[in-house]
Every structure is written in structure tokens, then in C-alpha cells.
Amino acid sequence: MKLTKTKKQLLNQEFEGTEWCPHCNRETDFKYNPMKNKYITCTNCGMKIHPCSLCDGNDCNNCEDEIKTSLLQWNK
């Protein structure tokens, strides 16, 4: 994905949310910067997980790009 300077600035901020952890089956709050972070860390069990709640995509093999694309679409 090619990003313009404006898109990079938008994505270089923290997004907050809540994610369900499949490892401990509990919700965890997170802050996520898509330009700096690959995963979030569950505050309950410490496992690294993707912030799937930020993503509208269907391709979990390309999760990081799907999250960036979704965030750009939500914040036009």
C-alpha cells in the first residue's frame, strides 16, 4: 500500500479500542499505532494479538494492511 504524507500522518496516531482475546477469552482495552505496532498485548494474559476490531477486511494473512485500509476509509 502506497501512502501519501497525509495518510501517513493520519495513521501515525494512537487508536483506542477493545479487543476480545482468544487466548484468555476476555476483553482487553488497547491503544494501537498502525505505523509503529504490529500487535496489541492483552492486559489479562500478556499474549500478542491483532486489533481486529479496527479492521473491515477479510484477509487476516495481510492484517496490517487491512487495518490501515479500514482506518483510512473510516477517517476520510
Side-chain angles (χ1 to χ4, degrees):
M1 165 193 306
K2 185 167 173 97
L3 298 173
T4 64
K5 184 179 178 180
T6 304
K7 289 179 182 178
K8 285 181 185 177
Q9 286 176 329
L10 172 72
L11 292 176
N12 197 21
Q13 61 181 313
E14 282 190 334
F15 294 88
E16 296 182 6
T18 301
E19 189 63 53
W20 186 259
C21 178
H23 302 285
C24 67
N25 290 319
R26 295 178 66 187
E27 287 188 336
T28 185
D29 293 329
F30 67 86
K31 291 183 181 178
Y32 177 77
N33 181 321
M35 298 300 284
K36 295 180 182 174
N37 306 118
K38 188 170 185 172
Y39 302 100
I40 59 174
T41 302
C42 177
T43 56
N44 302 301
C45 70
M47 295 297 291
K48 292 183 178 183
I49 57 176
H50 287 289
C52 297
S53 58
L54 296 178
C55 185
D56 279 341
N58 296 320
D59 183 11
C60 288
N61 294 320
N62 198 15
C63 190
E64 292 172 64
D65 283 341
E66 292 284 343
I67 290 170
K68 289 176 185 174
T69 300
S70 294
L71 290 171
L72 289 171
Q73 288 175 348
W74 292 340
N75 293 284
K76 282 190 176 184

